[in-house]
Amino acid sequence: MNEEDLNEALHDVMVRSSPPGSMDPARAREQGRRARKRRTIAWAGVAVVPLAVVVAVGPAIVADLAGDRSASPMVAGGTSTTPTPSAAPTTRKTNDPWPEGQVDRTATAGPRADRSVTLMTDLSSLVPAGFSTPDLKYPDGRKMRWPQSQYASSDGEQDYWEYLAMIPVQKGSGVGQLLVQSITPDGKPAADPCQLAKSFWGDTGDCAVVDVDGKKVGVRTAKGSRSFDQWAAYRYEDGTVVLLAQARQSEDAQRPPLAQPVFTAQQLAELVTSPKFKISS
């Protein structure tokens, strides 16, 4: 396993740390990734800082995948504007309880859980004509559509949250997937657009900086076998970070892939700047 594989694995843990059982994509994602690794004989960032906090029987590792990544997402939906946080950020200390009465990192009910559900709905609404977002399931019965709201701070870090939604996208018999992630401001310095994009799945391919009405978006196109073929990353001035990723192949290897990407690189860059996906608290 090389450094990029290690970074990708740590990022994958970040995405899945302490997910709710009914929505946990861990097994399918892990099976798909292991299968690809075997075929090539064997997710990531500029710096990886795992969080040593034990949840249940293992570490809930939340990686600061971009040592220079400013992260961020609150309110996904329609024409709503991003509210100002009601309180100044606090710093997590060792042995602090989970916030808002949670039993682990993942919010399974309440306003924070609702935000990722809204994020999933908004992502579905942007799929172009000719594609659909059916309520498909993996062979073991788990839904391929899933949201997750997660408290992401490590010890000594400013409090911040990650909101994520994954959906399958179908055209004909082909099934791919889309993912959107919105991260609330974490107090870290800004990175250039391509470094920001690199912080999610590593330097796996070419990167282009795309201008969207004066906003600079990093768009990376993967080389080789990766969970996603292409992704765009954008950082707002307040530190909120949004990621939008697409893959022609879903995590269900039994389904054929899409014949074409859902979005062009330009469309991906434009959509990642949509106010629908900006969640800042």
Side-chain angles (χ1 to χ4, degrees):
M1 177 179 287
N2 59 29
E3 180 180 356
E4 184 176 308
D5 291 333
L6 176 60
N7 285 342
E8 183 183 346
L10 288 174
H11 181 272
D12 212 27
V13 174
M14 178 198 73
V15 172
R16 300 194 313 264
S17 59
S18 304
S22 62
M23 297 183 292
D24 180 11
R27 289 172 54 195
R29 294 169 68 83
E30 183 64 19
Q31 289 169 358
R33 183 161 285 104
R34 285 178 179 174
R36 285 191 287 269
K37 296 294 183 186
R38 286 194 298 269
R39 287 196 297 270
T40 56
I41 315 210
W43 6 74
V46 183
V48 179
V49 183
L51 167 62
V53 175
V54 175
V55 179
V57 295
I61 300 176
V62 176
D64 172 18
L65 298 172
D68 50 10
R69 178 183 99 188
S70 247
S72 49
M74 167 189 159
V75 167
T79 59
S80 55
T81 58
T82 303
T84 301
S86 58
T90 59
T91 300
R92 181 168 180 82
K93 298 182 292 295
T94 302
N95 298 323
D96 276 355
W98 299 116
E100 303 174 20
Q102 293 174 200
V103 298
D104 56 26
R105 289 190 173 276
T106 305
T108 58
R112 293 197 184 275
D114 293 343
R115 289 169 196 167
S116 58
V117 173
T118 301
L119 199 63
M120 184 172 66
T121 300
D122 288 335
L123 179 60
S124 299
S125 72
L126 295 177
V127 170
F131 294 88
S132 62
T133 60
D135 191 15
L136 301 178
K137 295 182 179 180
Y138 292 106
D140 63 5
R142 290 175 300 108
K143 290 187 175 183
M144 295 176 70
R145 295 170 58 89
W146 58 275
Q148 180 172 287
S149 300
Q150 176 176 277
Y151 176 74
S153 301
S154 177
D155 285 4
E157 290 186 335
Q158 172 181 310
D159 285 355
Y160 69 100
W161 287 76
E162 296 173 343
Y163 302 94
L164 180 147
M166 176 92 80
I167 63 170
V169 180
Q170 185 168 8
K171 186 174 185 179
S173 61
V175 177
Q177 60 188 10
L178 295 174
L179 176 148
V180 65
Q181 186 176 25
S182 191
I183 308 166
T184 65
D186 63 3
K188 297 179 176 64
D192 72 57
C194 280
Q195 286 295 100
L196 181 64
K198 178 181 177 180
S199 72
F200 289 95
W201 281 285
D203 193 5
T204 65
D206 298 328
C207 181
V209 177
V210 179
D211 186 281
V212 180
D213 296 328
K215 301 171 182 176
K216 304 301 181 183
V217 178
V219 179
R220 280 195 175 269
T221 302
K223 288 182 179 179
S225 178
R226 288 292 181 272
S227 294
F228 293 92
D229 305 318
Q230 195 172 49
W231 57 95
Y234 176 66
R235 181 185 187 275
Y236 286 86
E237 290 185 0
D238 69 354
T240 299
V241 166
V242 181
L243 167 78
L244 180 61
Q246 63 179 350
R248 289 175 52 216
Q249 175 71 61
S250 73
E251 292 292 343
D252 184 355
Q254 297 182 19
R255 299 180 185 273
L258 294 170
Q260 66 188 81
V262 179
F263 301 116
T264 66
Q266 180 66 37
Q267 289 171 330
L268 207 65
E270 293 171 356
L271 290 173
V272 81
T273 67
S274 170
K276 287 177 177 287
F277 298 146
K278 185 176 188 286
I279 310 179
S280 297
S281 67

